[in-house]
Amino acid sequence: MNSEHINYSLSASQEEPAAVEEIANPLPRAVLRLSNHALLDGQWHFALDPDDRGLREGWYLGHDYEYVAQWPGSIEAHMAEARGQAQPTAWQDKVVAWYEREFTLPEVEEPLRRSMLQLTFGACGYETQVWLNGRQLRTIEGEDVHYGEYTSFSYELREENLHLVNRLTVRIADTMDAEITRGKQESHIYKRGGIWYQTYTGAVRSVWLEVVERNRLRSRLGVDSIIEDHLVRFNFTTRIHDPGCYTLRLKVTERGAPKGSPPLYTSEFPLRLEAGQKQQRVILEMPDAKLWSPETPNLYLLVAQLVDSEGYEAQIETHFGLRKIESRGKHVYLNNEPTYLDGILYQPGTATYEEMQRHMHAMQKLGCNMVRVHIAGIDPRIYNLADELGLLLWVEVPSPHTSSTRSRQNHRDELLRLLALIESHPSVVIWSLYNEDWGCQDIATNPETRRYIVDTYHYMQIEHPQFLVVDNDGWQHISQEGRLKSDLLTAHLYTPDLGRWQDLLDRLVRGELVGVAAFPLVIGDAFFYRRQKPLIVSEWGGFGFADYGGPQEGEERTNRIRAFKQELRRRPIAGDVYTQATNIEDERNGVIDPHTGELTVPPGLLNSRDFSPEE
């Protein structure tokens, strides 16, 4: 197989749109490899399994499917279509659905001596099991059942199990279980309505086949830069079937440099690798490298090659940037410069990739330099777009809805899955572990809950120092021996009254911890605020949502937002997050049309970085 050739002659599935190959990156992933793909999107056979009989009856060996469904798409929509309904029906306690389709074995230019076929689901769940020609597959991580619905997972297809025409069977199960990571989807505890949304699960992103090398770098990459020393730390994941001596070769060029341009920085690292999967950190010196920031989103192209003893190169490529984020005193520092965070809350919900693209551009037009992606996993290409636009991202772990040993384990698993896929993006600067106690309701009374959050905070500090971490956004931050276990002291403040707003902000900056937000700002040991942590009002406004009050639209709402924003900037506050970007279900408080991306308020309304406090 020729590693320089970008098309390995995979035959496309019949349902694949002809325009797919015209898109620079048609797949929901951020790291690319030198191979073509065959999308398996389109019509699949579909069946509901209300009594959960399919496993016992061996549906994966053969089943008469009653319906067809379009992949990608949610189970909720597929259930409604099967029943002839226009809208999704109320969710049930447990839903099990089966999908099946055939695909023709792709043609390759040479025998699969160095390579193999890989099957990848962009996201699917919450529980996913997959069979190929009646044989159950295990993920590369060794899972018979993949858990989670926000991140991708892959299967290597063994050549001896492949036929000319192959049958792919998928079982997806989800429940209203409050112990799994649900974000703002309804559960047994939080029913649909208000700020709790219709469940949206199942076959929610593309699925595809591609040729990958037997010995390769996986599309999981961590990037951490030390800007003072012009160093970048890369954390690669190797996947090896043939143990031996390899060379990891790195080449870095400027983003957009002409094809064939000599690299600006190169380095090689000899590795002896055993069979299996492991992580390896390496350091690259980049003297005179330009830093990434919202004002100058400088990106570099990394080409990473794993070279075997015969000189064969298995290659991936991605963009990255050098930046530093730090919580120091009352400011957030970006690249050692104090930076005010003009943020907005963003809940993509069921928005398409194209709609999310329009939303990101619109939020930048509003003057935001930061977007808080609210407890949801999104299409990985959106992180790439934020890198290119220079938008800072505050991301959050989709939360369970109850506190227990199992829910904490599910929470940690979800955190690790998300980290593996998005820790390379310079735009991602802040992580929230929890939001408003959802999934950790006993944070003030249960030492086990607090210990888990503190341990996770410490883990993030050590293993992922490129991020700021918030323990529990909004209130009830954890203090241990007077040390806040959060890089930011955040508060959610909602009032439509300007006088009340001024009073709340005055009390907040004076260090009053009780009676400012809905719950005490800090729990655990005593904490004394003396501007040693940046204050962030991480939710405010919400004008138009019934529970928050305030003007719903027009000039009055614009004036109210401007007046509230000015009060924030007159005080020693490090940033704020206006709620919110678009309408979503019952929350009718957006300032961007969710479909067209048009603003309903003037451009630049949330840009306060040039604001000068009045005397």
Side-chain angles (χ1 to χ4, degrees):
M1 188 177 296
N2 181 1
S3 66
E4 298 301 317
H5 189 49
I6 63 170
N7 188 336
Y8 288 147
S9 299
L10 283 177
S11 60
S13 63
Q14 292 182 348
E15 293 79 17
E16 179 178 335
V20 164
E21 294 299 333
E22 300 173 6
I23 303 172
N25 181 14
L27 300 177
R29 61 180 178 185
V31 176
L32 306 179
R33 60 178 70 248
L34 291 178
S35 65
N36 204 347
H37 67 275
L39 272 174
L40 299 184
D41 293 353
Q43 275 197 351
W44 288 56
H45 300 294
F46 171 70
L48 290 169
D49 187 4
D51 301 319
D52 200 6
R53 298 183 290 114
L55 285 175
R56 297 192 305 272
E57 296 178 359
W59 287 12
Y60 48 86
L61 297 174
H63 182 68
D64 184 17
Y65 288 84
E66 187 177 358
Y67 306 106
V68 294
Q70 191 75 15
W71 192 308
S74 70
I75 292 180
E76 295 81 0
H78 296 158
M79 286 194 301
E81 291 166 6
R83 295 166 179 167
Q85 299 165 336
Q87 298 294 328
T89 56
W91 189 250
Q92 303 165 31
D93 180 66
K94 182 176 182 179
V95 171
V96 179
W98 290 72
Y99 296 80
E100 189 170 279
R101 65 157 291 165
E102 291 184 344
F103 67 89
T104 302
L105 185 66
E107 297 177 359
V108 294
E109 290 183 341
E110 61 179 72
L112 295 176
R113 181 173 68 87
R114 283 196 174 99
S115 303
M116 59 177 57
L117 281 177
Q118 179 173 280
L119 173 71
T120 298
F121 290 77
C124 189
Y126 185 74
E127 299 178 19
T128 307
Q129 291 172 267
V130 181
W131 292 263
L132 176 68
N133 300 321
R135 291 175 176 266
Q136 185 166 11
L137 300 180
R138 304 187 78 184
T139 67
I140 294 178
E141 284 71 30
E143 307 164 307
D144 289 323
V145 182
H146 174 78
Y147 295 96
E149 60 185 74
Y150 300 102
T151 54
S152 65
F153 52 99
S154 299
Y155 302 87
E156 295 172 340
L157 306 185
R158 298 173 62 179
E159 191 171 4
E160 60 266 28
N161 295 334
L162 289 164
H163 304 154
L164 181 60
V165 177
N166 299 273
R167 180 169 48 88
L168 190 63
T169 310
V170 181
R171 176 186 182 270
I172 304 172
D174 201 358
T175 72
M176 295 280 280
D177 186 352
E179 291 185 311
I180 67 176
T181 50
R182 306 193 62 80
K184 288 181 74 172
Q185 298 182 84
E186 63 179 322
S187 71
H188 287 305
I189 291 180
Y190 299 122
K191 299 299 184 180
R192 185 182 181 188
I195 63 170
W196 304 104
Y197 307 143
Q198 164 74 39
T199 54
Y200 184 78
T201 57
V204 293
R205 287 191 203 145
S206 291
V207 56
W208 65 91
L209 283 169
E210 63 184 322
V211 174
V212 298
E213 295 83 1
R214 285 171 52 84
N215 308 298
R216 64 191 182 278
L217 300 169
R218 294 206 65 197
S219 57
R220 279 111 169 91
L221 175 67
V223 179
D224 175 24
S225 50
I226 308 170
I227 64 172
E228 293 84 357
D229 296 325
H230 309 289
L231 297 177
V232 183
R233 295 182 287 211
F234 295 105
N235 197 32
F236 290 96
T237 299
T238 58
R239 174 64 173 169
I240 301 298
H241 286 268
D242 306 307
C245 294
Y246 293 83
T247 299
L248 175 60
R249 180 183 298 149
L250 306 185
K251 303 176 185 178
V252 173
T253 58
E254 284 192 357
R255 181 178 183 270
K259 188 175 180 63
S261 299
L264 298 173
Y265 312 99
T266 62
S267 195
E268 293 189 353
F269 307 88
L271 300 173
R272 179 161 186 86
L273 298 173
E274 302 299 326
Q277 180 168 292
K278 75 181 295 290
Q279 290 188 333
Q280 177 67 52
R281 173 173 284 182
V282 296
I283 308 294
L284 182 66
E285 293 183 88
M286 293 181 59
D288 304 318
K290 301 173 185 177
L291 301 184
W292 182 96
S293 71
E295 295 74 26
T296 56
N298 297 306
L299 292 172
Y300 292 90
L301 172 66
L302 169 70
V303 174
Q305 298 171 328
L306 189 66
V307 187
D308 67 17
S309 58
E310 298 178 6
Y312 182 84
E313 302 165 352
Q315 179 171 309
I316 61 172
E317 60 182 54
T318 192
H319 292 103
F320 71 98
L322 285 74
R323 64 107 180 107
K324 176 185 179 183
I325 194 79
E326 187 179 10
S327 165
R328 191 192 330 150
K330 63 182 181 180
H331 294 296
V332 171
Y333 287 80
L334 181 64
N335 300 333
N336 295 322
E337 295 291 334
T339 301
Y340 189 86
L341 303 178
D342 283 315
I344 190 167
L345 190 77
Y346 179 46
Q347 303 190 86
T350 59
T352 65
Y353 170 56
E354 291 73 21
E355 288 171 337
M356 285 190 281
Q357 287 179 299
R358 292 194 281 269
H359 299 163
M360 298 295 282
H361 285 282
M363 288 184 278
Q364 191 171 54
K365 288 179 184 176
L366 280 170
C368 297
N369 64 355
M370 185 184 75
V371 176
R372 181 176 163 218
V373 183
H374 195 30
I375 53 176
I378 57 176
D379 189 306
R381 291 170 292 186
I382 293 300
Y383 304 111
N384 281 358
L385 178 59
D387 293 342
E388 296 168 9
L389 293 178
L391 276 172
L392 303 169
L393 296 183
W394 178 337
V395 300
E396 303 174 325
V397 185
S399 59
H401 288 180
T402 192
S403 182
S404 67
T405 300
R406 178 170 172 260
S407 79
R408 290 188 284 274
Q409 184 61 55
N410 287 336
H411 179 275
R412 181 173 177 80
D413 291 344
E414 196 71 71
L415 169 65
L416 296 179
R417 286 191 290 264
L418 288 166
L419 279 167
L421 290 173
I422 65 175
E423 62 175 324
S424 64
H425 297 280
S427 57
V428 178
V429 293
I430 303 172
W431 284 76
S432 284
L433 303 180
Y434 287 93
N435 175 78
E436 293 187 353
D437 311 343
W438 301 338
C440 60
Q441 295 92 329
D442 55 356
I443 189 172
T445 58
N446 188 345
E448 289 296 319
T449 298
R450 291 199 297 275
R451 185 177 301 113
Y452 165 71
I453 295 173
V454 169
D455 288 348
T456 305
Y457 171 72
H458 289 159
Y459 165 81
M460 293 289 286
Q461 282 189 313
I462 295 169
E463 296 295 330
H464 302 281
Q466 68 269 43
F467 305 123
L468 301 182
V469 179
V470 178
D471 57 346
N472 176 45
D473 185 49
W475 47 67
Q476 299 208 113
H477 300 280
I478 299 172
S479 173
Q480 194 174 75
E481 298 178 347
R483 296 178 176 89
L484 199 68
K485 296 303 176 180
S486 177
D487 292 324
L488 306 171
L489 181 56
T490 68
H492 294 179
L493 307 180
Y494 286 109
T495 177
D497 181 77
L498 184 59
R500 171 69 173 159
W501 179 244
Q502 293 167 327
D503 178 62
L504 287 174
L505 295 181
D506 286 339
R507 294 168 62 190
L508 179 67
V509 299
R510 284 199 302 265
E512 294 186 26
L513 303 179
V514 178
V516 179
F519 294 92
L521 288 185
V522 177
I523 50 95
D525 294 331
F527 178 78
F528 302 97
Y529 176 69
R530 297 293 185 270
R531 302 190 183 183
Q532 73 271 37
K533 291 277 186 177
L535 276 177
I536 306 285
V537 180
S538 51
E539 287 188 26
W540 67 276
F543 304 136
F545 182 50
D547 288 356
Y548 301 153
Q552 294 186 11
E553 57 188 16
E555 186 177 354
E556 184 184 0
R557 181 161 69 158
T558 295
N559 292 336
R560 187 74 58 90
I561 293 172
R562 184 176 289 117
F564 274 51
K565 187 81 171 182
Q566 288 173 347
E567 294 300 329
L568 284 161
R569 294 312 317 271
R570 293 188 178 113
R571 291 163 175 81
I573 291 171
D576 68 84
V577 179
Y578 178 76
T579 305
Q580 63 181 329
T582 63
N583 294 341
I584 178 170
E585 297 203 15
D586 292 349
E587 293 194 73
R588 318 300 294 177
N589 52 359
V591 292
I592 300 169
D593 185 282
H595 303 297
T596 68
E598 296 295 320
L599 300 182
T600 60
V601 294
L605 181 62
L606 295 178
N607 183 0
S608 70
R609 294 182 292 284
D610 298 326
F611 178 82
S612 298
E614 297 179 3
E615 298 295 333

